Amino acid sequence: MNQLKSREPGSVTLPGTLSEPLRAELVAFRRDLHMHPELGNQEFRTTAALKARLEAAGLAPKVLPGGTGLICDIGTRAAGRSMLAIRADLDALPIPDVKTVAYRSTVANRAHACGHDVHTTTVLGAGLVLAELDREGLLPNAVRLIFQPAEEVLPGGAADVVEAGVLDGVGRIIAVHCDPRVDAGKIGLRAGPITSACDRLEVTLDGPGGHTARPHLTTDLVTAAARVATDVPAVLARRVDARSGLSVTWGRIEAGHAPNVIPQRAELSGTVRCLDLPAWREAPDLVHAAIDEVATLHRAKVTVDYVRGVPPVVNDPLIAELLRDAMTARRGPYAVEDTEQSLGGEDFSWYLEHVPGAMARLGVRTPGDTRVRDLHAGDFDVDERCIEAGVELFTAAALLDGAAEPRTTATPVL
């Protein structure tokens, strides 16, 4: 079964590159998804399009219990081997698409501004290529495609699909995330933590309110809210190891409606991000205590709603090396660059609670382009040559993993 030929130490000649017709089809598929973005757990059209294309390739995809998302197995499991899973996320963001392109979103205040349309298309493309290789007897072990809904909905759709059993028979999992700081045709990679934990924080302050002429007779909630906003991050900075990167950042603060009335309620919303898994475990108690202390100082009654999000994505070193070997085999060592840990959150981390895996950053920037395109921005777009690079990465990883001896690696436990 193993027909991979050695080129030089550490490299192989791999089948499974994209044909020109399939390359064009995948670009068109991505553009169709981009024009019809769907929010988390509403990805019915996207799921139907994937199901139809996979079935047309002779595969048997299964829609997940919630009606959106699906899994699809390709090939036959080798004796004594678990499967490699390749994961994509399907959902878009509730923001307007402000680009001037032919494939601009046709849905008001909805946009694929995080690249999930690219993730989906690359995994679909990899599945179509791997299915053809399987028909030719060139796929050494079975592969499972996971098309997951609701990545943008805390605590992430990954937790739901794991509960639905998508990892049964899976021993390793890989994925990519678009990165506008990396050129198309390359990936960014690191072993260990590559994203951060991300939780949501809602704080409500209550008091009797009153006239601004007599603040000493009231609970001054405007001042209390301001002190919570500024003092809580400062307090936490002295109670957590600075290397953990624990950060509270506010995105909304509301209090009052008139200039001479002290309000009876103030609200703050923000996020808690953390680079370190042990510190993330302790974060809810630490944040609660800091908010309580500051609010009590200003005689405000406080309610804290701390919503657990996602832990950091911690790349397994062996699986990260598999991705490095795969991209190197396809495009050479210069197609892989080291990347840093970001403060962004990703629910791919929930899979890693159960099986080892790794996520690479897929370059989507046109080489030489000096424009700054950021994720979650209405003008986000990609150099579509990234699709071919993503397909090549996934297919090479599947071939190398299937032909290798079973990997010995520790499963992280939260």
Side-chain angles (χ1 to χ4, degrees), residues 130-303:
L130 291 173
E132 181 60 31
L133 292 178
D134 184 51
R135 285 188 285 270
E136 296 172 4
L138 296 176
L139 184 61
N141 191 27
V143 175
R144 174 167 294 167
L145 311 181
I146 300 175
F147 296 94
Q148 173 212 306
E151 191 276 332
E152 298 286 354
V153 182
L154 287 179
D160 293 330
V161 301
V162 168
E163 187 175 347
V166 301
L167 293 181
D168 293 346
V170 169
R172 301 154 303 285
I173 188 167
I174 57 176
V176 295
H177 197 294
C178 290
D179 191 336
R181 302 166 302 170
V182 178
D183 285 349
K186 296 183 177 183
I187 62 169
L189 196 61
R190 66 178 278 127
I194 192 170
T195 71
S196 301
C198 180
D199 300 333
R200 191 174 74 242
L201 187 60
E202 303 283 344
V203 179
T204 302
L205 302 173
D206 289 298
H211 200 289
T212 57
R214 293 175 289 279
H216 59 290
L217 300 179
T218 71
T219 297
D220 186 351
L221 290 185
V222 174
T223 297
R227 300 309 299 187
V228 167
T230 58
D231 290 355
V232 166
V235 169
L236 291 169
R238 293 297 179 267
R239 296 186 180 174
V240 182
D241 189 329
R243 292 170 295 182
S244 71
L246 182 65
S247 171
V248 175
T249 304
W250 306 103
R252 182 182 70 93
I253 182 168
E254 294 184 12
H257 301 284
N260 62 340
V261 178
I262 295 175
Q264 295 178 324
R265 171 162 290 194
E267 298 177 347
L268 302 93
S269 301
T271 59
V272 181
R273 299 182 186 271
C274 188
L275 301 173
D276 179 69
L277 189 56
W280 179 71
R281 293 190 182 116
E282 300 175 5
D285 290 340
L286 291 169
V287 172
H288 269 274
I291 294 172
D292 285 342
E293 288 181 23
V294 175
T296 299
L297 183 64
H298 293 274
R299 298 182 298 169
K301 180 182 178 182
V302 62
T303 302

Side-chain angles (χ1 to χ4, degrees), residues 46-72:
T46 303
T47 298
L50 288 165
K51 183 173 183 290
R53 184 60 184 91
L54 291 167
E55 288 177 340
L59 298 170
K62 299 177 182 178
V63 176
L64 294 172
T68 64
L70 62 152
I71 62 171
C72 184

